[in-house]
Amino acid sequence: MPEPPPLHTRYSHAPGVAAPVVTDVRPRRTAITWEDPPRRRRWPIVLLVVVGAGLAFVSVAGGVARATADAAAQAAQLADQGHYVQAIALDYHLASLGGPLLFLDRVDVNNAPANAQRTMLKWAGALAASGKVDQAVALTSSVTDPRLQADASHERASLLLKAATAAAQQGDYVTAVRRLRQILQTDAASAEAHQATTLLPDYQVGEASALTAAGRGADAVAILDAVSSGSEAAASQKATGVYPAALLAAGQEEIAATSYKEAQATLRRLTDMYGGTPQAVQARSLLNARQPVSGTLVQKNGHPISGRVRLSRHFTSVPGGYITSGPFYYANADNSGNFVIGSVPVGGPYVLEVFHNGNWTTLIDPNTDQPADPVMVESLEPAALTFIVIP
């Protein structure tokens, strides 16, 4: 912008008087400078915000801590009331919690897994008391916290020992022995295992008696043999009273299975060791029981021969032939040549004779001049002859 023109002022003055000084009265431009307004101090506000946020965080964290403590207390109360599933679920939920809000108190969260497994042990005890022993054992086996392993072992062995004792009192020695063996397999180092070792032989004798009554004599004898070979004198003496019935049942079982040689050995053991018992009387009767003798008569061409047959007890060679004497045991061969002589005493040799062409005849070995087909009747075992070829 152009400056305004200078102002000219005229003044009148008297002669001899100095003229007044004229000053330029034009307005001057003044340089204006802008300054920042004075700054206010902001750190008190920031500090208040931080302190407020911290107090809020601590307050929330305190609330979370109180909530976890309440949840832990509720889980413990549920367990005491027998609501084991809910208590365990709540403890495991606590164990899953995390984050910075738990910085004030993590004790309940950290202890929650162990508390859940302690509840499992309480639950196992309740299950065992209600007769669900196998479920209780499975539950104690699911306890994995190293701090609770000793408690789990004691709880498992204790409930198994109680179950074994209860079963034995009811006469269920099979179950009682099974429970004792579970202790020895899973908790061999426990005090209960020592008790199980002491009780086992006595319970095994009871088990053998139960097996004998069920017709499982062979299993019973095997158990009694194990007990008798042990160091428990009282149990061995008790086993002596069970042996006769077990041996008789075992022999009968073997006869039914056509294991005749085994049955002979078992029954002879009974008669030799316990000869004065009623079971030994039965054993001798079985060993001496008459047996059937069966066979088939055929011609040389394989065609069957029907007719009468007999077994003779005594054979004597005479010039030009032989003679036999009784007792005799008779049967008839059918059109297929088959015959069964139903009741022949144990022993022999017997001579098989066929009524053929009006005479009783038998095959004679020319080298010995004795019957070619001697018949022996063994204890317990029916005699089955091969094809008898009649010339």
Side-chain angles (χ1 to χ4, degrees), residues 186-274:
T186 59
D187 304 286
S190 65
E192 290 81 4
H194 177 73
Q195 292 179 264
T197 302
T198 302
L199 291 172
L200 184 60
D202 187 58
Y203 286 9
Q204 283 180 305
V205 175
E207 180 185 24
S209 181
L211 291 172
T212 298
R216 296 173 56 188
D219 292 335
V221 171
I223 292 173
L224 294 174
D225 288 344
V227 172
S228 297
S229 63
S231 59
E232 291 291 332
S236 298
Q237 182 63 34
K238 190 174 179 180
T240 301
V242 180
Y243 257 125
L247 287 168
L248 178 61
Q252 292 170 330
E253 186 179 355
E254 289 159 349
I255 291 172
T258 67
S259 299
Y260 301 116
K261 298 300 182 185
E262 291 80 358
Q264 289 176 27
T266 299
L267 294 176
R268 286 188 178 123
R269 178 184 176 186
L270 171 55
T271 57
D272 291 344
M273 296 180 65
Y274 306 98

Side-chain angles (χ1 to χ4, degrees), residues 151-173:
D151 292 339
S153 175
H154 171 71
E155 180 67 24
R156 181 170 50 247
S158 178
L159 66 87
L160 283 170
L161 185 61
K162 290 178 182 177
T165 304
Q169 290 173 348
Q170 296 173 1
D172 185 4
Y173 288 99

Side-chain angles (χ1 to χ4, degrees), residues 74-246:
Q74 183 182 3
Q77 185 178 12
L78 287 170
D80 292 339
Q81 294 173 350
H83 303 302
Y84 304 109
V85 175
Q86 295 92 324
I88 293 169
L90 185 54
D91 276 325
Y92 276 130
H93 174 69
L94 278 175
S96 68
L97 297 178
L101 292 178
L102 292 170
F103 79 98
L104 287 180
D105 188 358
R106 291 190 57 87
V107 173
D108 293 321
V109 173
N110 293 336
N111 289 340
N115 289 338
Q117 296 193 16
R118 288 189 182 94
T119 301
M120 288 183 185
L121 294 180
K122 290 183 180 179
W123 190 8
L127 287 172
S130 64
K132 300 176 181 178
V133 179
D134 291 323
Q135 295 180 28
V137 170
L139 201 58
T140 59
S141 299
S142 66
V143 174
T144 57
D145 192 315
R147 295 169 295 180
L148 300 177
Q149 287 298 306
D151 292 339
S153 175
H154 171 71
E155 180 67 24
R156 181 170 50 247
S158 178
L159 66 87
L160 283 170
L161 185 61
K162 290 178 182 177
T165 304
Q169 290 173 348
Q170 296 173 1
D172 185 4
Y173 288 99
V174 175
T175 298
V177 168
R178 180 164 60 88
R179 297 305 185 196
L180 294 182
R181 291 196 182 280
Q182 282 182 274
I183 298 174
L184 298 176
Q185 290 171 359
T186 59
D187 304 286
S190 65
E192 290 81 4
H194 177 73
Q195 292 179 264
T197 302
T198 302
L199 291 172
L200 184 60
D202 187 58
Y203 286 9
Q204 283 180 305
V205 175
E207 180 185 24
S209 181
L211 291 172
T212 298
R216 296 173 56 188
D219 292 335
V221 171
I223 292 173
L224 294 174
D225 288 344
V227 172
S228 297
S229 63
S231 59
E232 291 291 332
S236 298
Q237 182 63 34
K238 190 174 179 180
T240 301
V242 180
Y243 257 125

Side-chain angles (χ1 to χ4, degrees), residues 315-324 351 362-374:
F315 173 89
T316 304
S317 295
V318 296
Y322 68 92
I323 58 174
T324 58
V351 177
T362 188
L363 298 178
I364 302 297
D365 185 343
N367 295 321
T368 63
D369 206 26
Q370 294 294 312
D373 300 302

